[in-house]
């Protein structure tokens, strides 16, 4: 799918941010992916949909409701940090699955794949638990920033190398609940004014 352009309307933040993918386009993508996944697992034991906290939560919620089969839902939380200059990025599990995935169909649900480091780690870690099958569905693919190649069986949108917030994704913990996906064009300005988007998104309750 190709992202469409939108407008937040006239505001002081115009120029700093714009709608990259509208809520309607997001809903269409969830409906299509939900149908695709339902067909794959129709007649099988319910797949385990693994949400990667926290960014994937809104996508996961919409995706599973767009599926026409029963599913199990579980979550993982991952942290990644650079151990130092020219050191490899270290990824570790902060919260593990509650389900035993051995012999089960598993779908990793990601909001965005960027460098690919998180997903590479996750796929390896989950593969070692011997699931019946392992797939990844991602809402966004920012492939221009890929460091390691990763397998993406299902993907809704390829996006350019822009910083995005909304629909689960955050800037310093904020703006995850924007129903539209926003592209931040002026990241330094948002960094200086972290509440910049309050007024255009939430009607100015920024007091
Ligand atoms: C995001 C996203 C992926 C990861 C992708 O999570 O949800 O898990 O980054 O990046 P990568 O391909 O470069 O590894 P983030 O670290 O922003 O945490 P959050 O979902 O809790 O906001």
């Amino acid at each position: 799918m190709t992202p469409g352009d939108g407008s937040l309307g006239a505001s002081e933040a115009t120029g700093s941010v714009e709608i990259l993918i509208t809520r309607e386009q997001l809903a269409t993508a969830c409906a299509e992916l939900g149908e695709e996944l339902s067909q794959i697992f129709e007649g099988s034991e319910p797949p385990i949909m693994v949400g990667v906290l926290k960014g994937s939560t809104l996508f996961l919620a919409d995706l599973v409701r767009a599926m026409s089969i029963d599913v199990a839902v579980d979550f993982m939380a991952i942290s990644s940090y650079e151990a130092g200059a020219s050191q490899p990025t270290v990824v570790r599990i902060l919260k593990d699955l509650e389900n035993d995935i051995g012999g089960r169909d598993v779908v990793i649900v990601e909001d965005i794949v960027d460098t690919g480091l998180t997903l590479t780690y996750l796929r390896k870690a989950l593969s070692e638990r011997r699931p019946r099958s392992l797939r990844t569905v991602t809402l966004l693919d920012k492939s221009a920033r890929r460091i390691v190649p990763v397998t993406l069986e299902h993907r809704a949108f390829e996006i350019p190398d822009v910083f995005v917030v909304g629909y689960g994704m955050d800037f310093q913990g904020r703006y995850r609940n924007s129903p539209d996906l926003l592209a931040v064009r002026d990241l330094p300005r948002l960094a200086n004014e972290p509440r910049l988007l309050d007024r255009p998104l939430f009607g100015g309750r920024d007091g």
Side-chain angles (χ1 to χ4, degrees):
M1 241 185 216
T2 310
D5 287 323
S7 168
L8 279 176
S11 83
E12 66 206 32
T14 301
S16 301
V17 69
E18 66 186 26
I19 297 177
L20 184 65
I21 304 175
T22 65
R23 63 195 73 186
E24 292 80 12
Q25 290 174 308
L26 292 165
T28 300
C30 286
E32 290 175 1
L33 288 171
E35 174 62 24
E36 202 172 300
L37 289 166
S38 298
Q39 284 183 12
I40 290 169
F41 299 115
E42 183 83 56
S44 304
E45 189 179 1
I48 302 176
M49 308 294 289
V50 175
V52 185
L53 296 170
K54 307 183 181 82
S56 71
T57 48
L58 274 64
F59 175 45
L60 175 76
D62 286 342
L63 179 65
V64 297
R65 283 181 291 179
M67 293 176 72
S68 56
I69 57 165
D70 191 20
V71 300
V73 171
D74 209 335
F75 293 97
M76 291 185 84
I78 302 294
S79 102
S80 62
Y81 60 93
E82 286 180 31
S86 70
Q87 295 289 312
T89 299
V90 178
V91 184
R92 69 188 178 93
I93 296 174
L94 295 180
K95 183 215 171 296
D96 208 338
L97 296 175
E98 293 177 4
N99 287 262
D100 175 2
I101 62 169
R104 299 288 299 274
D105 292 310
V106 174
V107 181
I108 299 171
V109 181
E110 270 287 23
D111 50 335
I112 184 166
V113 179
D114 192 332
T115 63
L117 290 168
T118 304
L119 188 57
T120 298
Y121 173 85
L122 269 176
R123 287 189 74 114
K124 181 170 185 296
L126 297 189
S127 292
E128 288 168 356
R129 301 178 193 185
R130 304 272 176 221
R132 178 167 177 261
S133 69
L134 181 63
R135 296 174 167 270
T136 300
V137 55
T138 186
L139 179 72
L140 308 177
D141 180 6
K142 201 192 275 187
S143 61
R145 282 183 37 94
R146 199 77 88 246
I147 292 175
V148 285
V150 284
T151 305
L152 295 177
E153 287 84 0
H154 309 274
R155 175 187 77 166
F157 300 97
E158 165 84 35
I159 63 165
D161 185 10
V162 290
F163 190 87
V164 290
V165 297
Y167 200 64
M169 284 152 267
D170 72 311
F171 174 74
Q172 297 181 353
R174 302 172 62 89
Y175 304 123
R176 289 193 198 272
N177 61 323
S178 164
D180 302 300
L181 186 84
L182 311 176
V184 178
R185 300 292 182 193
D186 191 346
L187 199 54
R189 185 173 175 199
L190 186 60
N192 282 330
E193 304 171 56
R195 306 194 70 174
L196 179 68
L197 307 184
D198 276 11
R199 194 178 298 276
L201 286 180
F202 305 117
R205 297 187 303 267
D206 57 354

